[in-house]
mmCIF file of all heavy atoms in Angstrom:
data_model
loop_
_atom_site.group_PDB
_atom_site.id
_atom_site.type_symbol
_atom_site.label_atom_id
_atom_site.label_comp_id
_atom_site.label_asym_id
_atom_site.label_seq_id
_atom_site.Cartn_x
_atom_site.Cartn_y
_atom_site.Cartn_z
ATOM 1 N N SER A 292 141.177 107.687 97.726
ATOM 2 C CA SER A 292 142.062 107.510 96.439
ATOM 3 C C SER A 292 142.964 108.797 96.534
ATOM 4 O O SER A 292 142.799 109.649 97.391
ATOM 5 C CB SER A 292 141.179 107.579 95.217
ATOM 6 O OG SER A 292 140.358 108.934 95.234
ATOM 7 N N GLY A 293 143.898 108.756 95.658
ATOM 8 C CA GLY A 293 144.859 109.809 95.525
ATOM 9 C C GLY A 293 145.987 109.557 94.540
ATOM 10 O O GLY A 293 145.872 108.955 93.570
ATOM 11 N N SER A 294 147.239 110.080 94.776
ATOM 12 C CA SER A 294 148.254 109.817 93.968
ATOM 13 C C SER A 294 149.610 109.965 94.664
ATOM 14 O O SER A 294 149.663 110.467 95.682
ATOM 15 C CB SER A 294 148.296 110.791 92.692
ATOM 16 O OG SER A 294 148.518 112.161 93.213
ATOM 17 N N VAL A 295 150.562 109.195 94.066
ATOM 18 C CA VAL A 295 151.899 109.279 94.643
ATOM 19 C C VAL A 295 152.892 109.671 93.610
ATOM 20 O O VAL A 295 152.667 109.574 92.394
ATOM 21 C CB VAL A 295 152.378 107.893 95.190
ATOM 22 C CG1 VAL A 295 151.356 107.514 96.325
ATOM 23 C CG2 VAL A 295 152.470 106.766 94.042
ATOM 24 N N PHE A 296 154.129 110.286 94.044
ATOM 25 C CA PHE A 296 155.272 110.481 93.211
ATOM 26 C C PHE A 296 156.257 109.335 93.426
ATOM 27 O O PHE A 296 156.589 108.938 94.482
ATOM 28 C CB PHE A 296 155.931 111.811 93.583
ATOM 29 C CG PHE A 296 155.315 112.937 93.093
ATOM 30 C CD1 PHE A 296 155.038 114.084 94.014
ATOM 31 C CD2 PHE A 296 154.950 113.315 91.839
ATOM 32 C CE1 PHE A 296 154.419 115.317 93.659
ATOM 33 C CE2 PHE A 296 154.437 114.468 91.412
ATOM 34 C CZ PHE A 296 154.061 115.422 92.296
ATOM 35 N N LEU A 297 156.735 108.889 92.245
ATOM 36 C CA LEU A 297 157.818 107.901 92.320
ATOM 37 C C LEU A 297 159.205 108.738 92.551
ATOM 38 O O LEU A 297 159.174 109.886 92.281
ATOM 39 C CB LEU A 297 157.821 107.095 91.033
ATOM 40 C CG LEU A 297 156.727 106.168 90.751
ATOM 41 C CD1 LEU A 297 156.886 105.468 89.430
ATOM 42 C CD2 LEU A 297 156.415 105.213 91.893
ATOM 43 N N ASP A 298 160.151 108.068 92.826
ATOM 44 C CA ASP A 298 161.510 108.730 92.985
ATOM 45 C C ASP A 298 161.944 109.369 91.834
ATOM 46 O O ASP A 298 162.738 110.370 91.879
ATOM 47 C CB ASP A 298 162.477 107.863 93.556
ATOM 48 C CG ASP A 298 162.229 107.398 95.001
ATOM 49 O OD1 ASP A 298 161.409 108.081 95.651
ATOM 50 O OD2 ASP A 298 162.806 106.448 95.492
ATOM 51 N N ASP A 299 161.536 108.916 90.614
ATOM 52 C CA ASP A 299 161.880 109.586 89.239
ATOM 53 C C ASP A 299 161.087 110.866 88.974
ATOM 54 O O ASP A 299 161.314 111.351 87.878
ATOM 55 C CB ASP A 299 161.958 108.550 88.203
ATOM 56 C CG ASP A 299 160.565 108.121 87.802
ATOM 57 O OD1 ASP A 299 159.605 108.568 88.311
ATOM 58 O OD2 ASP A 299 160.430 107.256 86.821
ATOM 59 N N GLY A 300 160.084 111.056 89.801
ATOM 60 C CA GLY A 300 159.257 112.360 89.645
ATOM 61 C C GLY A 300 157.928 111.993 88.926
ATOM 62 O O GLY A 300 157.021 112.848 88.836
ATOM 63 N N SER A 301 157.758 110.801 88.374
ATOM 64 C CA SER A 301 156.455 110.401 87.657
ATOM 65 C C SER A 301 155.416 110.235 88.790
ATOM 66 O O SER A 301 155.601 109.806 89.977
ATOM 67 C CB SER A 301 156.625 109.271 86.859
ATOM 68 O OG SER A 301 157.123 108.175 87.579
ATOM 69 N N GLU A 302 154.194 110.641 88.434
ATOM 70 C CA GLU A 302 153.057 110.460 89.377
ATOM 71 C C GLU A 302 152.072 109.256 88.844
ATOM 72 O O GLU A 302 151.949 109.043 87.724
ATOM 73 C CB GLU A 302 152.294 111.698 89.142
ATOM 74 C CG GLU A 302 151.028 111.816 90.151
ATOM 75 C CD GLU A 302 150.268 113.123 90.100
ATOM 76 O OE1 GLU A 302 150.558 114.037 89.337
ATOM 77 O OE2 GLU A 302 149.248 113.226 90.713
ATOM 78 N N ILE A 303 151.690 108.465 89.794
ATOM 79 C CA ILE A 303 150.731 107.374 89.639
ATOM 80 C C ILE A 303 149.587 107.542 90.558
ATOM 81 O O ILE A 303 149.760 107.663 91.745
ATOM 82 C CB ILE A 303 151.403 106.067 90.033
ATOM 83 C CG1 ILE A 303 152.656 105.732 89.071
ATOM 84 C CG2 ILE A 303 150.402 104.912 89.840
ATOM 85 C CD1 ILE A 303 153.492 104.560 89.532
ATOM 86 N N PRO A 304 148.411 107.557 89.974
ATOM 87 C CA PRO A 304 147.203 107.637 90.835
ATOM 88 C C PRO A 304 146.912 106.187 91.329
ATOM 89 O O PRO A 304 147.339 105.239 90.957
ATOM 90 C CB PRO A 304 146.090 107.953 89.834
ATOM 91 C CG PRO A 304 146.522 107.473 88.521
ATOM 92 C CD PRO A 304 147.981 107.554 88.547
ATOM 93 N N PHE A 305 146.146 106.318 92.529
ATOM 94 C CA PHE A 305 145.591 105.046 93.216
ATOM 95 C C PHE A 305 144.106 105.234 93.485
ATOM 96 O O PHE A 305 143.655 106.351 93.831
ATOM 97 C CB PHE A 305 146.510 104.608 94.328
ATOM 98 C CG PHE A 305 146.473 105.536 95.554
ATOM 99 C CD1 PHE A 305 145.468 105.378 96.539
ATOM 100 C CD2 PHE A 305 147.467 106.540 95.670
ATOM 101 C CE1 PHE A 305 145.457 106.205 97.677
ATOM 102 C CE2 PHE A 305 147.398 107.368 96.732
ATOM 103 C CZ PHE A 305 146.490 107.252 97.706
ATOM 104 N N ASP A 306 143.462 104.146 93.467
ATOM 105 C CA ASP A 306 141.982 104.145 93.822
ATOM 106 C C ASP A 306 141.867 103.469 95.163
ATOM 107 O O ASP A 306 142.652 103.080 95.865
ATOM 108 C CB ASP A 306 141.189 103.481 92.672
ATOM 109 C CG ASP A 306 141.606 102.008 92.485
ATOM 110 O OD1 ASP A 306 142.310 101.385 93.351
ATOM 111 O OD2 ASP A 306 141.320 101.398 91.439
ATOM 112 N N ALA A 307 140.424 103.499 95.482
ATOM 113 C CA ALA A 307 140.065 103.008 96.842
ATOM 114 C C ALA A 307 140.575 101.438 97.071
ATOM 115 O O ALA A 307 140.925 101.104 98.146
ATOM 116 C CB ALA A 307 138.628 103.136 97.087
ATOM 117 N N ALA A 308 140.471 100.716 96.098
ATOM 118 C CA ALA A 308 140.921 99.216 96.030
ATOM 119 C C ALA A 308 142.414 99.111 96.477
ATOM 120 O O ALA A 308 142.645 98.215 97.346
ATOM 121 C CB ALA A 308 140.620 98.615 94.731
ATOM 122 N N ALA A 309 143.164 100.027 96.047
ATOM 123 C CA ALA A 309 144.627 99.890 96.293
ATOM 124 C C ALA A 309 144.857 100.293 97.758
ATOM 125 O O ALA A 309 145.557 99.742 98.522
ATOM 126 C CB ALA A 309 145.404 100.741 95.444
ATOM 127 N N PHE A 310 144.091 101.453 98.133
ATOM 128 C CA PHE A 310 144.206 101.880 99.585
ATOM 129 C C PHE A 310 143.632 100.783 100.442
ATOM 130 O O PHE A 310 144.281 100.457 101.585
ATOM 131 C CB PHE A 310 143.536 103.111 99.694
ATOM 132 C CG PHE A 310 143.482 103.773 101.075
ATOM 133 C CD1 PHE A 310 144.686 104.319 101.606
ATOM 134 C CD2 PHE A 310 142.544 103.568 102.068
ATOM 135 C CE1 PHE A 310 144.785 104.762 102.922
ATOM 136 C CE2 PHE A 310 142.572 104.060 103.301
ATOM 137 C CZ PHE A 310 143.746 104.767 103.762
ATOM 138 N N ASP A 311 142.477 100.206 100.188
ATOM 139 C CA ASP A 311 141.803 99.236 101.015
ATOM 140 C C ASP A 311 142.542 97.868 101.089
ATOM 141 O O ASP A 311 142.387 97.124 102.114
ATOM 142 C CB ASP A 311 140.347 98.981 100.568
ATOM 143 C CG ASP A 311 139.584 100.174 100.851
ATOM 144 O OD1 ASP A 311 139.819 101.085 101.468
ATOM 145 O OD2 ASP A 311 138.350 100.236 100.139
ATOM 146 N N ALA A 312 143.462 97.572 100.160
ATOM 147 C CA ALA A 312 144.250 96.363 100.226
ATOM 148 C C ALA A 312 145.170 96.332 101.392
ATOM 149 O O ALA A 312 145.640 95.244 101.772
ATOM 150 C CB ALA A 312 144.926 96.173 98.857
ATOM 151 N N GLY A 313 145.674 97.543 101.812
ATOM 152 C CA GLY A 313 146.593 97.596 102.941
ATOM 153 C C GLY A 313 145.958 97.947 104.168
ATOM 154 O O GLY A 313 144.688 98.061 104.287
ATOM 155 N N PRO A 314 146.671 98.098 105.321
ATOM 156 C CA PRO A 314 146.156 98.246 106.628
ATOM 157 C C PRO A 314 146.005 99.661 106.979
ATOM 158 O O PRO A 314 145.692 100.029 108.256
ATOM 159 C CB PRO A 314 147.250 97.708 107.543
ATOM 160 C CG PRO A 314 148.535 97.957 106.738
ATOM 161 C CD PRO A 314 148.238 97.902 105.310
ATOM 162 N N LEU A 315 145.982 100.716 106.062
ATOM 163 C CA LEU A 315 146.020 102.072 106.447
ATOM 164 C C LEU A 315 144.521 102.543 106.597
ATOM 165 O O LEU A 315 143.562 102.195 106.134
ATOM 166 C CB LEU A 315 146.667 102.911 105.379
ATOM 167 C CG LEU A 315 148.172 102.497 105.042
ATOM 168 C CD1 LEU A 315 148.696 103.464 103.881
ATOM 169 C CD2 LEU A 315 148.834 102.691 106.298
ATOM 170 N N ARG A 316 144.516 103.665 107.461
ATOM 171 C CA ARG A 316 143.290 104.433 107.651
ATOM 172 C C ARG A 316 143.441 105.927 107.094
ATOM 173 O O ARG A 316 142.404 106.546 106.839
ATOM 174 C CB ARG A 316 143.063 104.539 109.195
ATOM 175 C CG ARG A 316 142.694 103.126 109.738
ATOM 176 C CD ARG A 316 142.343 103.342 111.215
ATOM 177 N NE ARG A 316 142.255 101.998 111.713
ATOM 178 C CZ ARG A 316 141.831 101.780 113.072
ATOM 179 N NH1 ARG A 316 141.569 102.782 113.853
ATOM 180 N NH2 ARG A 316 141.623 100.640 113.425
ATOM 181 N N LEU A 317 144.530 106.370 106.843
ATOM 182 C CA LEU A 317 144.791 107.761 106.392
ATOM 183 C C LEU A 317 146.165 107.934 105.895
ATOM 184 O O LEU A 317 147.171 107.127 106.207
ATOM 185 C CB LEU A 317 144.666 108.738 107.641
ATOM 186 C CG LEU A 317 144.608 110.131 107.439
ATOM 187 C CD1 LEU A 317 143.506 110.581 106.608
ATOM 188 C CD2 LEU A 317 144.689 111.022 108.711
ATOM 189 N N LEU A 318 146.295 108.854 104.969
ATOM 190 C CA LEU A 318 147.766 109.202 104.384
ATOM 191 C C LEU A 318 147.755 110.641 104.370
ATOM 192 O O LEU A 318 146.652 111.362 104.289
ATOM 193 C CB LEU A 318 147.804 108.724 102.952
ATOM 194 C CG LEU A 318 148.005 107.162 102.811
ATOM 195 C CD1 LEU A 318 147.889 106.910 101.249
ATOM 196 C CD2 LEU A 318 149.375 106.798 103.319
ATOM 197 N N ARG A 319 148.999 111.213 104.495
ATOM 198 C CA ARG A 319 149.316 112.687 104.469
ATOM 199 C C ARG A 319 150.160 112.932 103.321
ATOM 200 O O ARG A 319 151.161 112.138 103.047
ATOM 201 C CB ARG A 319 149.801 113.119 105.708
ATOM 202 C CG ARG A 319 148.943 113.168 106.908
ATOM 203 C CD ARG A 319 149.621 113.793 108.202
ATOM 204 N NE ARG A 319 150.995 113.385 108.319
ATOM 205 C CZ ARG A 319 151.579 112.361 108.993
ATOM 206 N NH1 ARG A 319 150.604 111.476 109.516
ATOM 207 N NH2 ARG A 319 152.778 112.202 109.108
ATOM 208 N N SER A 320 150.049 114.043 102.579
ATOM 209 C CA SER A 320 150.944 114.387 101.629
ATOM 210 C C SER A 320 152.312 114.457 102.181
ATOM 211 O O SER A 320 152.593 114.919 103.367
ATOM 212 C CB SER A 320 150.671 115.879 100.969
ATOM 213 O OG SER A 320 149.433 115.795 100.471
ATOM 214 N N GLY A 321 153.355 113.998 101.378
ATOM 215 C CA GLY A 321 154.595 113.990 101.868
ATOM 216 C C GLY A 321 155.177 112.605 102.559
ATOM 217 O O GLY A 321 156.346 112.365 102.743
ATOM 218 N N GLN A 322 154.104 111.767 102.977
ATOM 219 C CA GLN A 322 154.501 110.570 103.579
ATOM 220 C C GLN A 322 155.208 109.529 102.557
ATOM 221 O O GLN A 322 154.870 109.553 101.477
ATOM 222 C CB GLN A 322 153.218 109.756 104.112
ATOM 223 C CG GLN A 322 152.974 110.308 105.414
ATOM 224 C CD GLN A 322 151.770 109.457 105.997
ATOM 225 O OE1 GLN A 322 150.705 109.409 105.319
ATOM 226 N NE2 GLN A 322 151.900 108.787 107.161
ATOM 227 N N ARG A 323 156.220 108.846 103.144
ATOM 228 C CA ARG A 323 156.821 107.791 102.266
ATOM 229 C C ARG A 323 156.104 106.509 102.427
ATOM 230 O O ARG A 323 155.557 106.198 103.421
ATOM 231 C CB ARG A 323 158.322 107.586 102.765
ATOM 232 C CG ARG A 323 159.270 108.746 102.516
ATOM 233 C CD ARG A 323 159.501 108.841 100.998
ATOM 234 N NE ARG A 323 160.301 107.840 100.419
ATOM 235 C CZ ARG A 323 160.642 107.633 99.112
ATOM 236 N NH1 ARG A 323 160.136 108.471 98.165
ATOM 237 N NH2 ARG A 323 161.326 106.585 98.749
ATOM 238 N N VAL A 324 155.846 105.900 101.273
ATOM 239 C CA VAL A 324 154.974 104.598 101.288
ATOM 240 C C VAL A 324 155.592 103.587 100.418
ATOM 241 O O VAL A 324 156.534 103.842 99.642
ATOM 242 C CB VAL A 324 153.591 104.906 100.727
ATOM 243 C CG1 VAL A 324 152.805 105.828 101.639
ATOM 244 C CG2 VAL A 324 153.643 105.648 99.316
ATOM 245 N N ASN A 325 155.310 102.360 100.703
ATOM 246 C CA ASN A 325 155.656 101.222 99.832
ATOM 247 C C ASN A 325 154.421 100.959 99.056
ATOM 248 O O ASN A 325 153.340 101.118 99.448
ATOM 249 C CB ASN A 325 155.949 99.945 100.614
ATOM 250 C CG ASN A 325 157.362 100.063 101.406
ATOM 251 O OD1 ASN A 325 158.237 100.734 100.867
ATOM 252 N ND2 ASN A 325 157.425 99.341 102.387
ATOM 253 N N ILE A 326 154.720 100.575 97.714
ATOM 254 C CA ILE A 326 153.670 100.358 96.855
ATOM 255 C C ILE A 326 153.835 99.171 96.009
ATOM 256 O O ILE A 326 155.077 98.750 95.816
ATOM 257 C CB ILE A 326 153.460 101.611 95.849
ATOM 258 C CG1 ILE A 326 154.604 101.888 95.000
ATOM 259 C CG2 ILE A 326 152.893 102.861 96.564
ATOM 260 C CD1 ILE A 326 154.464 102.947 93.940
ATOM 261 N N ILE A 327 152.870 98.572 95.462
ATOM 262 C CA ILE A 327 152.977 97.527 94.533
ATOM 263 C C ILE A 327 152.245 97.950 93.136
ATOM 264 O O ILE A 327 151.163 98.598 93.375
ATOM 265 C CB ILE A 327 152.329 96.182 94.960
ATOM 266 C CG1 ILE A 327 153.126 95.643 96.130
ATOM 267 C CG2 ILE A 327 152.356 95.144 93.786
ATOM 268 C CD1 ILE A 327 152.566 94.381 96.740
ATOM 269 N N VAL A 328 152.879 97.885 92.153
ATOM 270 C CA VAL A 328 152.267 98.340 90.786
ATOM 271 C C VAL A 328 152.306 97.149 89.871
ATOM 272 O O VAL A 328 153.203 96.447 89.759
ATOM 273 C CB VAL A 328 153.211 99.441 90.125
ATOM 274 C CG1 VAL A 328 152.670 99.752 88.857
ATOM 275 C CG2 VAL A 328 153.361 100.692 91.098
ATOM 276 N N ALA A 329 151.097 96.894 89.280
ATOM 277 C CA ALA A 329 150.940 95.846 88.262
ATOM 278 C C ALA A 329 150.582 96.560 86.977
ATOM 279 O O ALA A 329 149.606 97.183 86.764
ATOM 280 C CB ALA A 329 149.811 94.963 88.703
ATOM 281 N N GLY A 330 151.551 96.380 86.073
ATOM 282 C CA GLY A 330 151.390 96.993 84.688
ATOM 283 C C GLY A 330 151.568 98.536 85.117
ATOM 284 O O GLY A 330 152.503 98.982 85.447
ATOM 285 N N GLU A 331 150.487 99.378 84.856
ATOM 286 C CA GLU A 331 150.560 100.830 85.107
ATOM 287 C C GLU A 331 149.600 101.148 86.243
ATOM 288 O O GLU A 331 149.458 102.290 86.557
ATOM 289 C CB GLU A 331 150.137 101.509 83.878
ATOM 290 C CG GLU A 331 151.181 101.482 82.725
ATOM 291 C CD GLU A 331 150.744 102.251 81.517
ATOM 292 O OE1 GLU A 331 149.923 103.145 81.610
ATOM 293 O OE2 GLU A 331 151.195 101.899 80.420
#
């Protein structure tokens, strides 16, 4: 789990379910990512 910054500077947390939905094994601070947000 972790959090991301949107381009407007707001921060959104994500949980293991969001991470596990994609093909990733690891993320590093500063990486650009594509995300899907449903509601908040």
Side-chain angles (χ1 to χ4, degrees):
S292 63
S294 64
V295 298
F296 281 128
L297 299 180
D298 291 342
D299 68 3
S301 57
E302 184 179 355
I303 299 178
F305 63 90
D306 57 18
F310 181 77
D311 292 344
L315 304 180
R316 295 183 182 183
L317 185 67
L318 286 170
R319 292 184 322 272
S320 293
Q322 276 184 304
R323 288 295 286 176
V324 290
N325 284 333
I326 60 172
I327 296 175
V328 177
E331 295 183 18

